């Protein structure tokens, strides 16, 4: 019989080549399908009345937005379309001095005052009639309706566009083609085997080889080296694992109300100690009460469109504000508390062992250390996490490297003068001033 090579290997190579081709084709099709269509330019709304709505928006945000919204009641009523409810002469007087109109007994002014919980509107005598015209032009703009289907959620991995084919359909078609090719290769291999048998062609069998594990077991040197390596490696990883027990660095739990430090501390530049006021005078920084949140959110019931991100939509953020309202019992429509409250079960992130003493006021008020030194760039965190290790070694390392701030800190004047002379240095570290004594943190 005539002997030939094993044609099974040829089939496998052919199958491998076709697989690579399909993979590259799949990538190309997926990229083409995911290419976004060019956005259409949004048409600008026409200006109303003689005023400039663009300037009116600036004036509205600077003077009115604290108490009014365009399409929802806040401290004051919604202002969209207010020009259709009152004549301009009345609006001029109301904006310039609403209190005088109420005192004079103007029926419209009195009714408006009573409908809004008798909240006194700030007078704006500095606004000219032209400025008020601009504001009215802005409030008279027609509300932009969202595009049909905008914001609708789509399953992961899909990118459906008008007139485009879903990625899932393309992937399904390619998978079907792949399956057909595999079946065809199997059938070709079977036919070739039958042809070889009929023509008396003997297919060379594979040469028997010694299994790799048997070859390895016969080499005593390799066995010894491998055993030593595995012993050392296992010791290294066991030690590393045990040293991480109790270390919760990067712990990032999901809270019952999503609070974005990026929006508050970052975009709006709210000082950390405004909410965590206890950090100045207390051992703990404390969890801010919901009343602190309501200082701002009493009048902020929704976020701006520009606040939304690919991960978190405007509707998501607005829903979190509504959770706050539900917790404190605030009715944003009536602008009043209902008395029905719900507890918020916050998940604690930073938690030192009970045998460790740490005082925030000592570090924040006396030492003048910034919050970001220990808690990281919180102004960039969408979800708060434990940034530092907070281990004993981490604290000691900080005490050894950090110089004590003496400017305006008379508390340390005397001891600094004595110890700096003793150590022969101009500035002392926290360690040189007793920051490594066991009793400072453990007592």
């Amino acid at each position: 019989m005539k002997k030939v090579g094993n044609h099974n290997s040829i089939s496998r190579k052919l199958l491998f080549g076709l697989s690579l081709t399909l993979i590259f084709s799949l990538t190309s099709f997926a990229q083409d399908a995911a290419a976004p269509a060019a956005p259409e330019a949004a048409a600008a709304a026409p200006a109303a009345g003689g005023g400039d709505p663009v300037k009116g928006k600036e004036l509205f945000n600077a003077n009115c937005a604290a108490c009014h919204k365009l399409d929802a009641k806040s401290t004051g009523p919604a202002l969209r379309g207010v020009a259709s409810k009152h004549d301009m002469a009345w609006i001029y007087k109301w904006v310039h001095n609403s209190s005088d109109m109420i005192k004079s007994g103007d029926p419209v002014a009195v009714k408006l005052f009573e409908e809004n919980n008798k909240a006194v509107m700030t007078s704006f005598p500095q606004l000219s009639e032209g400025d008020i015209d601009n504001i009215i032009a802005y409030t008279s703009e027609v509300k932009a309706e969202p595009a049909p289907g905008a914001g609708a959620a789509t399953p992961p991995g899909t990118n459906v566009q008008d007139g485009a084919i879903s990625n899932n359909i393309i992937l399904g078609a390619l998978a079907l083609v792949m399956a057909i090719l595999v079946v065809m290769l199997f059938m070709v291999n079977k036919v070739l085997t039958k042809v070889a048998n009929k023509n008396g062609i003997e297919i060379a069998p594979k040469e028997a080889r010694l299994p790799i594990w048997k070859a390895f077991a016969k080499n005593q040197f390799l066995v010894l080296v491998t055993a030593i390596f595995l012993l050392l490696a296992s010791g290294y990883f066991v030690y590393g694992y045990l040293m991480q027990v109790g270390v919760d660095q990067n712990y990032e739990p999901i809270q019952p109300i999503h609070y974005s430090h990026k929006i508050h501390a970052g975009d709006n530049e709210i000082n950390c100690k405004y909410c965590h006021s206890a950090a100045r005078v207390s051992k703990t920084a404390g969890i801010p009460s919901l009343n602190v949140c309501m200082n701002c959110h009493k009048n902020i019931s929704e976020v701006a469109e520009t606040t939304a991100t690919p991960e978190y939509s405007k509707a998501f953020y607005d829903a979190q504000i509504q959770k706050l309202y539900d917790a404190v019992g605030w009715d944003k429509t009536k602008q009043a508390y209902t008395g029905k409250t719900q507890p918020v079960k916050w998940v604690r992130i930073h938690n030192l062992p009970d045998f460790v003493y740490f005082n925030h006021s000592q570090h924040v008020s006396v030492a003048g250390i910034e919050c970001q030194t220990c808690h990281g760039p919180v102004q960039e965190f969408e979800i708060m996490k434990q940034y530092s290790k907070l281990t004993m070694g981490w604290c000691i390392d900080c005490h050894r490297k950090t110089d004590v701030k003496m400017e305006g800190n008379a508390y340390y004047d005397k001891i600094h003068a004595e110890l700096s002379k003793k150590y022969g240095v101009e500035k002392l570290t926290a360690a040189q001033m007793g920051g490594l004594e066991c009793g400072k943190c453990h007592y």
Side-chain angles (χ1 to χ4, degrees), residues 180-442:
I180 294 173
L181 287 175
V182 171
V183 173
M184 290 177 64
L185 287 173
F186 177 77
M187 294 175 66
V188 168
N189 180 63
K190 190 174 181 181
V191 170
L192 289 176
T193 302
K194 289 182 178 179
V195 171
N197 292 334
K198 286 184 178 180
N199 292 312
I201 300 175
E202 182 182 353
I203 301 173
K206 291 183 178 180
E207 295 181 3
R209 296 181 181 179
L210 187 66
I212 189 170
W213 65 271
K214 288 185 178 180
F216 175 80
K218 288 183 178 181
N219 193 321
Q220 296 182 356
F221 176 75
L222 284 178
V223 172
L224 177 62
V225 171
T226 303
I228 295 174
F229 173 77
L230 291 176
L231 183 64
L232 294 175
S234 60
Y236 171 80
F237 286 110
V238 169
Y239 173 80
Y241 173 77
L242 294 177
M243 289 301 292
Q244 293 303 312
V245 173
V247 179
D248 296 322
Q249 189 176 21
N250 293 321
Y251 176 50
E252 190 179 54
I254 300 300
Q255 301 290 356
I257 298 179
H258 180 91
Y259 179 88
S260 171
H261 278 78
K262 179 179 180 296
I263 294 176
H264 293 81
D267 298 342
N268 294 318
E269 300 181 353
I270 298 176
N271 190 291
C272 298
K273 293 181 280 291
Y274 174 78
C275 299
H276 299 279
S277 57
R280 297 189 184 97
V281 295
S282 174
K283 174 185 174 182
T284 60
I287 299 175
S289 68
L290 298 184
N291 289 335
V292 175
C293 304
M294 290 301 293
N295 287 342
C296 298
H297 282 287
K298 184 177 179 181
N299 292 319
I300 303 175
S301 60
E302 59 182 354
V303 301
E305 294 285 351
T306 54
T307 304
T309 65
E311 294 79 14
Y312 301 99
S313 64
K314 179 182 184 302
F316 172 81
Y317 284 124
D318 291 346
Q320 303 309 305
I321 298 176
Q322 184 58 49
K323 287 183 182 179
L324 169 64
Y325 290 165
D326 294 339
V328 300
W330 175 255
D331 189 329
K332 64 180 180 181
T333 304
K334 297 180 180 179
Q335 290 288 295
Y337 287 100
T338 62
K340 298 178 181 179
T341 61
Q342 299 176 9
V344 179
K345 299 180 181 179
W346 300 107
V347 180
R348 185 167 184 170
I349 300 175
H350 305 87
N351 191 16
L352 293 177
D354 292 342
F355 55 81
V356 177
Y357 176 81
F358 178 84
N359 193 309
H360 271 84
S361 63
Q362 176 72 18
H363 290 76
V364 174
S365 297
V366 179
I369 295 176
E370 296 295 333
C371 304
Q372 286 81 354
T373 303
C374 301
H375 295 290
V378 294
Q379 68 277 6
E380 300 174 4
F381 293 167
E382 181 65 34
I383 300 176
M384 188 61 192
K385 65 179 180 179
Q386 179 176 317
Y387 177 79
S388 303
K389 292 182 178 180
L390 303 184
T391 60
M392 179 176 174
W394 177 81
C395 294
I396 289 176
D397 185 61
C398 181
H399 281 192
R400 285 173 173 165
K401 294 179 179 179
T402 304
D403 292 330
V404 177
K405 293 181 180 179
M406 299 302 302
E407 297 79 8
N409 196 345
Y411 179 83
Y412 288 118
D413 281 348
K414 183 178 179 181
I415 189 172
H416 184 274
E418 294 176 357
L419 291 178
S420 60
K421 182 179 180 180
K422 175 182 177 180
Y423 293 116
V425 294
E426 293 183 3
K427 289 188 175 182
L428 293 172
T429 63
Q432 291 171 326
M433 295 188 72
L436 298 186
E437 295 176 8
C438 301
K440 288 291 193 297
C441 303
H442 308 287

